[in-house]
Amino acid sequence: AQSVAQPEDQVNVAEGNPLTVKCTYSVSGNPYLFWYVQYPNRGLQFLLKYITGDNLVKGSYGFEAEFNKSQTSFHLKKPSALVSDSALYFCAVRDMRNYGQNFVFGPGTRLSVLP
Amino acid sequence: ETGVTQTPRHLVMGMTNKKSLKCEQHLGHNAMYWYKQSAKKPLELMFVYSLEERVENNSVPSRFSPECPNSSHLFLHLHTLQPEDSALYLCASSQDLQGAMDTIYFGEGSWLTVV
């Protein structure tokens, strides 16, 4: 079965510093990978996705993610963090072999950007 | 604005009440989902509908009853709930269940408190 791991429950970074939120995946076949952000008391918002092509994917709010096939990773990055980036971040993989449950989400990583 | 609208945003209900959560998507999608998000727990997929047909029922207790009258609307009927059912209930939609490039989009959620 496909799976997603987010090895860090919490990431703290100072405002203005680069941030990385880690994600590793396990899939059979081609990986379809996604990042979502959840601000307090809100739903999940789509940030970016990797389907095929360039390993560096650019998304909303200045975020980008790097797909690394050999390391089976899809880490979310931003060159300069803002306090407003503080939120819960979810990595997800699309399991095309499972008709019903085919979006598999990681447990989430809480990002705190300190002023 | 997400394209997926959920009402009510907040609901407090007693254990003997009957209430419903409503979801409407304005994206022309064919698949709709209900997720449950509890504190300190991963996202739990509850139900999946494709073209108004239920394709997944993830061992959800019968006190939760979904209804999908058309591809734009999804309801979650609630009756005789327990306090542990208090959570954020998220509705989502995607174009189809089999489109590899599809993205899943979420509503803002309905906060349910069972007293």
Side-chain angles (χ1 to χ4, degrees), chain A residues 32 34 36 38 41-46 49 51-52 88 90 94 96 98-107, chain B residues 9 33 35 37 43 45 48 50 55-56 58 88 90 96-108 111:
Chain A
Y32 305 104
F34 302 78
Y36 288 81
Q38 186 178 31
N41 302 315
R42 306 291 296 275
L44 276 69
Q45 293 181 34
F46 169 70
K49 66 181 177 185
I51 303 298
T52 187
L88 189 56
F90 292 93
R94 191 98 194 262
M96 297 310 301
N98 189 334
Y99 185 61
Q101 299 198 45
N102 62 18
F103 284 96
V104 178
F105 286 86
Chain B
R9 291 295 315 280
Y33 311 73
Y35 284 85
Q37 187 179 27
L43 276 174
L45 178 65
V48 181
S50 176
V55 297
E56 189 73 33
N58 224 14
L88 178 66
L90 292 162
D96 288 294
L97 290 184
Q98 288 297 95
M101 298 193 207
D102 288 350
T103 300
I104 188 170
Y105 293 96
F106 287 83
E108 297 286 17
W111 282 100

Side-chain angles (χ1 to χ4, degrees), chain B residues 3-70:
Chain B
V4 180
T5 304
Q6 289 187 243
T7 54
R9 291 295 315 280
H10 298 272
L11 177 63
V12 179
M13 60 185 288
M15 289 190 283
T16 57
N17 290 159
K18 287 185 181 181
K19 297 283 185 184
S20 296
L21 305 180
K22 179 183 175 183
C23 176
E24 182 175 2
Q25 57 95 1
H26 315 275
L27 301 168
H29 289 168
N30 294 319
M32 295 188 77
Y33 311 73
W34 279 117
Y35 284 85
K36 176 183 178 183
Q37 187 179 27
S38 305
K40 310 287 185 186
K41 286 187 178 180
L43 276 174
E44 297 174 49
L45 178 65
M46 299 176 73
F47 300 104
V48 181
Y49 277 82
S50 176
L51 295 170
E52 301 129 56
E53 250 189 67
R54 191 191 308 181
V55 297
E56 189 73 33
N57 176 353
N58 224 14
S59 303
V60 179
S62 59
R63 57 185 183 269
F64 295 92
S65 174
E67 178 191 1
C68 188
N70 55 63

Side-chain angles (χ1 to χ4, degrees), chain A residues 14-46:
Chain A
E15 187 176 26
N17 282 3
L19 71 86
T20 299
V21 182
K22 295 180 181 177
C23 172
T24 58
Y25 64 88
S26 173
V27 301
S28 300
N30 295 325
Y32 305 104
L33 299 157
F34 302 78
W35 275 103
Y36 288 81
V37 60
Q38 186 178 31
Y39 298 103
N41 302 315
R42 306 291 296 275
L44 276 69
Q45 293 181 34
F46 169 70

Side-chain angles (χ1 to χ4, degrees), chain A residues 65-95:
Chain A
E66 188 170 9
F67 170 66
N68 187 318
K69 188 172 182 178
S70 62
Q71 296 185 5
T72 61
S73 67
F74 188 56
H75 300 333
L76 181 70
K77 301 183 179 187
K78 188 173 182 181
S80 178
L82 300 172
V83 172
S84 57
D85 293 329
S86 300
L88 189 56
Y89 289 82
F90 292 93
C91 184
V93 64
R94 191 98 194 262
D95 177 0

Side-chain angles (χ1 to χ4, degrees), chain A residues 42-61:
Chain A
R42 306 291 296 275
L44 276 69
Q45 293 181 34
F46 169 70
L47 276 179
L48 51 81
K49 66 181 177 185
Y50 172 82
I51 303 298
T52 187
D54 287 342
N55 290 342
L56 188 64
V57 180
K58 294 192 183 296
S60 305
Y61 311 121

